[in-house]
Amino acid sequence: MMSTKRSMITSNIALQAAKESVIKLDPRAMIRNPIMFVVEVGFLITLLLSFVPDAFGGAMPRWFNLTVALILLFTLLFANFAEALAEGRGKAQADSLKQTKKDVPARKIAADGSAQMIAANELRRGDIVQVLQGELIPGDGEVIAGLATVDESAITGESAPVIKEAGGDFASVTGGTRVVSDEITVRIESDPGESFLDRMIALVEGAQRQKTPNEIALNTVLMSLTLVFLIVVVTLPFFANYLGMTLEIPMLIALLVCLIPTTIGGLLSAIGIAGMDRVTQFNVLAMSGKAVEAAGDINTIILDKTGTITFGNRMASEFLPVGSHRLAELANWAAISSLHDETPEGRSVLELMKRLELPVEAALAVDSEWIEFKAQTRMSGADLVNGQKVRKGAVDAIKRWVLEQGGILPADLDEKSDQIALAGGTPLAVAVDRELYGLIYLKDTVKPGMRERFQQLREMGIKTIMCTGDNPLTAATIAREAGVDDYIAESRPEDKIAVIRREQAEGKLVAMTGDGTNDAPALAQADVGLAMSSGTIAAKEAANMIDLDSNPTKIIEVVSIGKQLLMTRGALTTFSIANDIAKYFAIIPALFVLAIPQLDALNIMRLSSPTSAILSALLFNAVIIPLLIPLAMRGVTYKPLSSTALLRRNLLLFGLGGVVVPFLGIKLIDMFVSIFL
């Protein structure tokens, strides 16, 4: 399950962020945020006027100019602090990960079988290494021989070790993790600097964070608003001259800063960084902010059954002979077809033989040609030296194979196959040449809590589709038990891609979870591909998110965080723009009331003086940014509601609140400021 082990903000992070907020005042850095760059230009002009009041022919007193300059400086520092604070959390996580990345020795196995100790940074993709009990795994790779328990707490934060074994979808290992028991042989799958840990460090540091399409679009809107207000403020002196009054530059700067969306401009970057960080808080590595945002708009989730909805370790529990064949015959051929099968299912067949104390004619398999399982054929087996061909696999695939050999199918085959399927198991058929001997009953178990989790997705308006290679009856039983909305039985890799493309063609965004090599194409096709850390290298490379806990239901948290990110950005944008209404009522009357006394009717807050009104609005504009930093970092609380209900809730809370709060805040600040004026 997910955990939030890391605290949001520490004193060290806050102190470093305070230093960074000053460093970020560099105009070369500020220009990346045009809104805050405008504020910085205003700060520099008012600072100059505080020392040379008549530099631009102005007549405002020094103290007023200096006060405006200081308020603008604090506005900039608060905005920079928000961004630096979000970046600091990512850097703190990266520092802890760097402690895990050590230059460990590696036992490289040469082509002749000899072992040589070298440094881990000398390993290259394709190298073979042996890792013994107590040793650190020197690099990312796949187990090609052996079985061991591995402590992945340095990466996932979870103390319970996991089993890694050759074959199947649990062969992937990560550099920096430790072998707790036994030993394994690993084929390295990454070059130095390209490992899973290297990418993770770079991503959580934010070095590779790119602005998402939504963020770019919002930036464009905010810059357009800024440009519009800039044009308005620049042209105001001409209208003022027509009315016979003079508008001083500090007042115009104050008006511009209060009207442009400085609040969201100062928090926008922090919201994006914090959104990425919240994903990593739940032990999910997002390859891009785009993937996190896309998760917030997901309509359909495709889930692979084995290892995702179910535990995935399907074990042989019973042999069911068909036709006139006997149990011993079926068991013998099932064992022969599994002698070279390194998958958990294959090994479980041999373990079942031992439990039943049945003999195996292993001599028949000597020098045989092993036929590996393929997703396309959905069967495996062996071609024996005596010419016999043994196959084990999905019932429909074995039936076709037997018929192709000219064989006849037993009358009770479908009945017994359906019997296993209705019980929620998976039937594997065993055939030798033209004869089908019987079935292996494989049991799999749905992970606890899946039905409740899928119900949460339904409440979010998200459809769930389960893909499985099982026959329709087995698929229906598992789907019913898990509570998914739909399922695709006897699924091949191309079927998963087809259903994703079909949903995307209807304008829907699709998420896919998986852990196997055969899931890789679908993970790449999906808008959000969440791969399990325990899965294969191919799956992790194809996905744009990796779940370090290998908990497929984590997709619910990912979707929630994506929605939360979008809602937070929208809510604070609404709040920021709504603020302008109160600032308008504070500053406009203060600027023009002397020339147009009728504008005093707009002074509904009854502010004490024009000077106090301008300073109060500026102060509120500066103070509101640090007050909103916790909300930007934590995110708006998300609840599974309809789009209409969410819109109504946020308009009332942040739209109406964005209008009311500034009125109250500016009035309170004015009461305080008027004491000194």
Side-chain angles (χ1 to χ4, degrees):
M1 295 298 291
M2 69 181 182
S3 60
T4 52
K5 300 178 285 299
R6 307 177 186 91
S7 60
M8 280 191 63
I9 300 171
T10 66
S11 57
N12 289 336
I13 292 175
L15 181 61
Q16 185 60 35
K19 295 177 183 177
E20 287 290 327
S21 62
V22 177
I23 296 172
K24 286 176 178 288
L25 289 174
D26 185 341
R28 292 170 297 181
M30 292 300 300
I31 201 167
R32 293 198 297 265
N33 188 338
I35 297 172
M36 301 314 296
F37 182 71
V38 170
V39 177
E40 185 169 46
V41 171
F43 157 68
L44 294 174
I45 293 173
T46 51
L47 182 64
L48 175 64
L49 290 173
S50 65
F51 293 103
V52 189
D54 56 351
F56 301 105
M60 296 301 294
R62 290 176 187 267
W63 70 266
F64 181 85
N65 296 340
L66 183 60
T67 302
V68 171
L70 289 175
I71 294 173
L72 295 182
L73 175 61
F74 280 107
T75 303
L76 292 167
L77 290 174
F78 290 148
N80 289 345
F81 181 75
E83 182 177 18
L85 200 61
E87 291 174 346
R89 291 170 64 190
K91 290 176 181 177
Q93 287 179 309
D95 290 339
S96 66
L97 289 170
K98 286 176 181 176
Q99 296 176 6
T100 303
K101 194 176 184 307
K102 303 172 183 176
D103 188 14
V104 300
R107 186 177 290 98
K108 181 180 176 182
I109 306 300
D112 59 3
S114 61
Q116 177 188 4
M117 298 301 295
I118 63 172
N121 58 13
E122 296 179 24
L123 292 172
R124 296 294 184 271
R125 184 187 295 266
D127 287 345
I128 306 297
V129 297
Q130 185 181 33
V131 189
L132 306 181
Q133 181 176 340
E135 295 180 348
L136 289 174
I137 296 173
D140 294 359
E142 289 195 353
V143 179
I144 58 175
L147 178 149
T149 52
V150 177
D151 177 8
E152 296 186 326
S153 58
I155 305 297
T156 67
E158 299 296 334
S159 58
V162 295
I163 295 175
K164 298 291 183 178
E165 56 188 343
D169 294 336
F170 298 93
S172 173
V173 291
T174 304
T177 56
R178 185 181 300 276
V179 174
V180 178
S181 67
D182 302 295
E183 61 183 63
I184 49 177
T185 303
V186 177
R187 181 177 60 246
I188 299 298
E189 298 288 352
S190 64
D191 291 324
E194 300 176 359
S195 71
F196 180 69
L197 197 57
D198 289 319
R199 286 186 294 154
M200 191 172 176
I201 290 170
L203 286 163
V204 297
E205 278 184 325
Q208 297 180 15
R209 193 188 91 86
Q210 297 178 342
K211 290 184 178 180
T212 64
N214 281 340
E215 194 173 350
I216 293 171
L218 181 57
N219 257 320
T220 303
V221 171
L222 296 179
M223 284 189 287
S224 299
L225 284 174
T226 302
L227 183 61
V228 168
F229 285 124
L230 182 61
I231 293 172
V232 169
V233 170
V234 168
T235 57
L236 271 180
F238 299 102
F239 292 100
N241 289 336
Y242 177 77
L243 295 172
M245 63 177 294
T246 301
L247 291 179
E248 300 295 339
I249 289 178
M251 288 190 168
L252 290 173
I253 290 173
L255 175 63
L256 176 62
V257 170
C258 285
L259 292 184
I260 64 176
T262 50
T263 304
I264 186 61
L267 295 173
L268 188 58
S269 182
I271 293 169
I273 296 171
M276 291 278 289
D277 183 57
R278 279 197 298 277
V279 173
T280 62
Q281 292 287 317
F282 291 112
N283 273 350
V284 173
L285 174 60
M287 301 304 181
S288 69
K290 182 180 179 181
V292 179
E293 281 196 359
D297 288 327
I298 286 299
N299 306 106
T300 306
I301 295 180
I302 312 295
L303 303 112
D304 183 53
K305 188 207 79 170
T306 305
T308 303
I309 293 176
T310 63
F311 283 106
N313 292 326
R314 299 181 300 176
M315 299 298 179
S317 61
E318 188 178 353
F319 295 120
L320 280 77
V322 295
S324 59
H325 295 292
R326 291 173 292 129
L327 175 63
E329 288 180 301
L330 166 61
N332 179 58
W333 290 118
I336 289 174
S337 68
S338 303
L339 288 174
H340 297 285
D341 187 351
E342 290 297 326
T343 65
E345 291 91 343
R347 283 194 289 270
S348 72
V349 171
L350 300 178
E351 290 170 4
L352 179 59
M353 292 287 292
K354 291 179 182 178
R355 289 202 306 271
L356 298 177
E357 297 182 351
L358 294 172
V360 182
E361 297 181 58
L364 289 174
V366 175
D367 296 327
S368 62
E369 180 185 352
W370 170 244
I371 307 299
E372 293 187 0
F373 177 87
K374 293 183 180 179
Q376 287 73 23
T377 61
R378 297 169 57 230
M379 68 173 74
S380 62
D383 290 347
L384 308 183
V385 292
N386 63 8
Q388 289 181 298
K389 296 181 178 181
V390 187
R391 294 293 185 271
K392 172 189 68 181
V395 175
D396 63 312
I398 295 296
K399 284 165 67 174
R400 282 196 303 270
W401 185 78
V402 169
L403 292 173
E404 288 171 1
Q405 307 297 314
I408 299 175
L409 301 177
D412 58 346
L413 174 63
D414 289 339
E415 179 186 348
K416 291 190 176 181
S417 176
D418 292 348
Q419 178 184 336
I420 294 173
L422 286 171
T426 301
L428 282 186
V430 178
V432 181
D433 295 330
R434 300 170 57 183
E435 292 192 59
L436 204 154
Y437 278 73
L439 303 169
I440 305 171
Y441 182 178
L442 296 181
K443 279 188 176 179
D444 200 356
T445 307
V446 173
K447 294 182 178 180
M450 294 300 292
R451 176 174 287 276
E452 292 75 16
R453 307 286 270 175
F454 290 141
Q455 179 59 34
Q456 291 180 35
L457 288 172
R458 266 189 292 277
E459 291 173 358
M460 296 179 188
I462 297 172
K463 177 183 177 182
T464 53
I465 301 175
M466 179 186 78
C467 288
T468 174
D470 293 332
N471 63 62
L473 286 174
T474 302
T477 302
I478 296 294
R480 186 168 54 252
E481 185 179 345
V484 295
D485 297 315
D486 199 0
Y487 65 91
I488 299 174
E490 297 177 347
S491 167
R492 296 167 298 174
E494 51 266 35
D495 294 328
K496 297 176 184 178
I497 297 176
V499 70
I500 291 173
R501 287 175 176 167
R502 186 184 70 224
E503 293 288 318
Q504 290 172 332
E506 296 175 2
K508 299 177 181 177
L509 291 183
V510 182
M512 165 80 187
T513 66
D515 55 5
T517 300
N518 64 339
D519 295 326
L523 288 168
Q525 177 67 36
D527 299 285
V528 177
L530 179 65
M532 304 297 105
S533 178
S534 61
T536 61
I537 294 291
K540 290 192 281 189
E541 288 182 346
N544 51 24
M545 286 189 183
I546 299 172
D547 175 19
L548 303 180
D549 295 332
S550 297
N551 175 8
T553 61
K554 191 78 70 66
I555 190 68
I556 296 174
E557 275 71 41
V558 172
V559 169
S560 296
I561 291 170
K563 289 183 180 295
Q564 187 182 47
L565 173 61
L566 295 173
M567 285 174 54
T568 302
R569 188 180 294 147
L572 291 183
T573 300
T574 302
F575 186 86
S576 176
I577 294 175
N579 276 194
D580 289 346
I581 297 175
K583 297 171 192 173
Y584 174 88
F585 278 101
I587 292 184
I588 295 299
L591 290 177
F592 294 100
V593 70
L594 294 178
I596 310 174
Q598 293 86 345
L599 285 179
D600 187 58
L602 295 179
N603 186 18
I604 59 178
M605 287 181 277
R606 313 315 300 171
L607 302 179
S608 57
S609 69
T611 301
S612 172
I614 292 170
L615 293 179
S616 298
L618 267 183
L619 276 171
F620 177 84
N621 194 64
V623 170
I624 197 64
I625 292 177
L627 292 179
L628 290 175
I629 287 177
L631 181 62
M633 299 284 285
R634 186 179 62 251
V636 174
T637 302
Y638 171 73
K639 295 180 180 179
L641 298 171
S642 66
S643 299
T644 304
L646 282 173
L647 179 62
R648 183 168 56 248
R649 171 176 172 265
N650 287 325
L651 282 176
L652 287 172
L653 186 60
F654 296 99
L656 184 60
V659 174
V660 173
V661 170
F663 274 100
L664 298 175
I666 291 173
K667 179 61 179 177
L668 289 174
I669 295 173
D670 175 74
M671 293 169 63
F672 176 77
V673 169
S674 62
I675 297 174
F676 300 95
L677 297 179

